[in-house]
Amino acid sequence: MTTTGSGEGPTAEDLRARGFATRREVMSDDFVDRAMDRAEGTASEAIQHVVTENVWGNIWSRPGLGRRDRSLLNIGMLVALRANAELAGHVRGGLTNGLTREEITEAVIHASGYCGAPAALSAMKTVQEVFDALDDR
C-alpha cells in the first residue's frame, strides 16, 4: 500500500481501490456499476468517490468487526435513519455477508424498540421487497 510519503497512511487512490474492491464484494458488481453509472459526469460523482474511499476503503476495511457484524449494524442504523433506499442494498449485502433473513427481520424488530414502529414498519416494507425480489429470480 502506498503512503502519502510522511507515514500518514494510505493515499486516496489506495483507499479508493480498496473501497471499490470491498464495496463490490459486499454490494455486488451490478450494484456498484449502477451507482457509478448514474453518478458519472454529474455533481453526484464526487460523493460516490468520497463514500467509496472513506466508508468502504477505510471504515469497512478496519479490523475489529467482520463484515457480517458491520452489515447487521448498518441495518439497524439505516432503520433509525429511515434510509430505505440504502437499506435495500444493505439487506442484499447482509445476505452476502452471511446474515439470514430471520436475523435481518429480527434486527428490524429490535430496532423498532429504539427507533419506533413507523421507522421499523417502513424498513420492513423495504426488507420484504428485497426478499420478494430475490424469491422471484
Side-chain angles (χ1 to χ4, degrees):
M1 177 149 319
T2 311
T3 63
T4 57
S6 60
E8 294 178 14
T11 66
E13 292 81 18
D14 292 332
L15 289 173
R16 186 176 293 177
R18 184 180 348 164
F20 272 119
T22 302
R23 192 175 179 189
R24 287 179 179 285
E25 289 169 9
V26 173
M27 303 299 282
S28 84
D29 287 334
D30 289 341
F31 181 92
V32 175
D33 289 343
R34 278 193 311 273
M36 296 309 296
D37 289 347
R38 276 191 309 268
E40 187 175 8
T42 72
S44 299
E45 188 170 17
I47 192 69
Q48 286 292 331
H49 289 287
V50 167
V51 166
T52 299
E53 292 164 14
N54 293 325
V55 175
W56 292 101
N58 190 9
I59 296 169
W60 268 81
S61 299
R62 290 180 53 79
L65 287 176
R67 289 184 180 174
R68 185 181 186 288
D69 295 330
R70 291 180 191 281
S71 286
L72 193 59
L73 284 167
N74 277 3
I75 289 168
M77 290 183 285
L78 293 169
V79 171
L81 292 169
R82 295 188 183 190
N84 291 342
E86 288 294 313
L87 176 61
H90 281 280
V91 167
R92 288 183 197 90
L95 292 167
T96 297
N97 286 336
L99 293 176
T100 66
R101 291 178 182 210
E102 181 181 8
E103 289 169 322
I104 291 168
T105 300
E106 286 300 321
V108 174
I109 292 168
H110 186 79
S112 73
Y114 294 87
C115 306
L121 288 166
S122 180
M124 197 61 221
K125 179 180 182 225
T126 299
V127 169
Q128 190 63 55
E129 288 169 357
V130 172
F131 291 169
D132 290 348
L134 291 171
D135 289 342
D136 288 342
R137 286 189 195 174

